[in-house]
Amino acid sequence: MRFNSSAFSLTSVAVVLLTACASVAAAPVTVANGVLVGPNGMTLYTFDKDAAGSGKSVCNGPCAANWPPLAAATGEMASGDFSIITRDDGSKQWAVKGKPVYYWSKDSKPGDKTGDGFNKVWQVAKP
């Protein structure tokens, strides 16, 4: 049997492309009751002090302890309205329409929206 290196290369490329497409297909958030929620079903929020499209979060340190960012895992790929920003600590965070999204530490169960309007700068993230 003779090995066909060009067929092997094309097959390898096809597998890599299919794998990449599969990682793009899964959206990092969904919609529940008119708001965006993370994979755990918890409400997501935006921070008015974050500039849309800046690629930055201004909620770091103690702020991020109260408002944990929706983390983007290594290898996850941005697509459509979803982008990934790099935080000050080097970690990755999801953004929706250019705005980083966060959980609120005081929400205790899916459906809670207790952070909406907090200090007049935190809003539920909407589709």
Side-chain angles (χ1 to χ4, degrees), residues 87-108:
R87 298 181 50 74
D88 286 354
D89 65 5
S91 64
K92 304 293 184 181
Q93 178 179 1
W94 282 106
V96 178
K97 297 179 183 172
K99 292 280 282 188
V101 288
Y102 309 83
Y103 295 108
W104 170 228
S105 62
K106 307 261 193 243
D107 283 349
S108 59

Side-chain angles (χ1 to χ4, degrees), residues 16-26:
V16 169
L17 289 174
L18 288 173
T19 302
C21 289
S23 64
V24 171

